[in-house]
Amino acid sequence: MKGYFCFNRIFAGVVILLVMATLFFACSKSATDTANVDTNKGDNQTITAAADQAIVSGIYDDLFGIALEVGADASLNETGRKAHSAELAAKLGSCFSYDIDDVTVDQWPKTLLIKFGAGCADNTGRVRAGNIQVTYSGYFYYPGSVIVIKPLTYTVNGVTVTGTKTITNMSNGNVYKYSSVVTGGTVKLDTVIVGFNSNTIITQTSGTATLSDVTDDIFSITGTDSLAYPLGISATITVNEADALERKLECPWIGKGKALVTVKGVTATVNYGNGICDDSATIDLGDKIKSIVLPK
């Protein structure tokens, strides 16, 4: 009997140890799985925001090019004018038009109403529609001039765009530089309305010798952006000088540089390439790499 009870006690102890071990590993596995789920969720949110950044910033960067190109055609960039209607028709679409409120030389401010109608496709297939208002306090290329761009009923490929983009000429000598600030921006991506604000510096790196011809202009972009999503989720975007984005005005996409996109402490890199004009970019986050196609 003594041996029997001793055996039972030993057996019961082994069972208890097995149960405890099972519970321990189950809890450990559960904690690990939860951590992995949280990590993947954070990574996915950041990757999504990085892809959205490529779309949204491209839309607002394009407003700078529109104001510059139409301003050149309307003699609002500098004294004198070199018409380039053929290039404008290819880049903005043959169906766009504009009105100017005051044609008096050197009378400021002047306001352009740029009209794309029900839909105007450019040579890349990008379809702009609706109206944009652009107010110039002086010639675009003159230091101190302020250009205020307001999408009124404006859409790009069906995406509604709102907000105000204010460009301030900070040029000095032969260096053409601009402050670009976007406030109150919103775009609707699928069913989600994303808020957008931006504070960047745009520097012309090529084409300064031929200001009357904007087709050879190249610009670098540095600074910060932010995206705001429903439920309080936000993303911050930083472009450092060492990885400045490069935009050739003749190209509809950013062709070079890197943007850092951070959501809840998780950072991904949007890599736009090494200067080739194409619609491809990659998003890098740790061992995750995602290729994306930039919108027209």
Side-chain angles (χ1 to χ4, degrees), residues 126-249:
R126 174 182 293 169
V127 179
R128 303 177 182 88
N131 299 336
I132 299 172
Q133 176 183 289
V134 185
T135 301
Y136 301 74
S137 73
Y139 290 112
F140 199 116
Y141 289 134
Y142 285 19
S145 292
V146 178
I147 295 87
V148 179
I149 307 170
K150 292 185 177 182
L152 300 179
T153 56
Y154 184 58
T155 66
V156 180
N157 295 335
V159 176
T160 300
V161 183
T162 71
T164 300
K165 185 180 182 81
T166 303
I167 300 165
T168 304
N169 191 311
M170 303 168 58
S171 302
N172 185 8
N174 292 325
V175 177
Y176 288 84
K177 181 180 292 187
Y178 309 87
S179 164
S180 173
V181 177
V182 176
T183 57
T186 63
V187 298
K188 188 174 183 180
L189 302 178
D190 294 326
T191 60
V192 178
I193 295 177
V194 180
F196 180 74
N197 291 286
S198 176
N199 192 337
T200 59
I201 299 297
I202 302 173
T203 305
Q204 188 166 354
T205 59
S206 183
T208 57
T210 55
L211 289 179
S212 58
D213 180 8
V214 299
T215 59
D216 61 351
D217 290 356
I218 301 176
F219 297 90
S220 72
I221 304 169
T222 59
T224 60
D225 299 334
S226 65
L227 298 174
Y229 294 90
L231 303 179
I233 299 173
S234 61
T236 59
I237 298 95
T238 303
V239 179
N240 299 311
E241 289 189 12
D243 297 312
L245 306 184
E246 182 182 272
R247 169 77 185 276
K248 298 177 181 178
L249 207 60

Side-chain angles (χ1 to χ4, degrees), residues 87-104:
E87 290 86 353
L88 270 179
K91 296 183 67 176
L92 299 182
S94 59
C95 46
F96 97 97
S97 62
Y98 64 85
D99 298 325
I100 186 169
D101 67 337
D102 188 348
V103 295
T104 307

